[in-house]
Amino acid sequence: MIFDKTELKQFNSSAQIIEMTFNDLFETKSYTGNSEAAILIQIPGGTFDECQLGQVLVKINNTKWTQLQDIAFRIIDLGDTKSNFSEVLAIYEGKFYNNKKQTIKVNAKL
């Protein structure tokens, strides 16, 4: 999950506060720093998809709870994303190596 830091600040919230909702159920890790805030959650066996996870109520500060989809900038399934990324990378690498071979052939003729 990726969060917009300015939006979290408006709600007096943080990735660490939201992460507490999931600590007892799943292995989690929150990240903050120079980039946007993020939480990684390991959900075994496809128990939830992104849509179901977005509907979970999360604590955003001491007095307010909301659905995750209302506060998260993006909810991404890295398992699905990894396979898509692998396909795109394979296509790119194929084009790169084909172009590189053509370049070598052109240089050899000169």
Side-chain angles (χ1 to χ4, degrees), residues 76-87:
I76 302 166
D77 182 341
L78 293 178
D80 287 345
T81 304
K82 182 180 178 182
S83 64
N84 291 340
F85 175 74
S86 296
E87 289 175 19

Side-chain angles (χ1 to χ4, degrees), residues 2-21:
I2 302 171
F3 300 90
D4 182 335
K5 281 185 175 181
T6 56
E7 188 175 4
L8 288 176
K9 196 176 274 190
Q10 289 172 352
F11 287 107
N12 295 322
S13 188
S14 68
Q16 292 84 0
I17 292 172
I18 297 168
E19 179 186 21
M20 286 189 279
T21 304

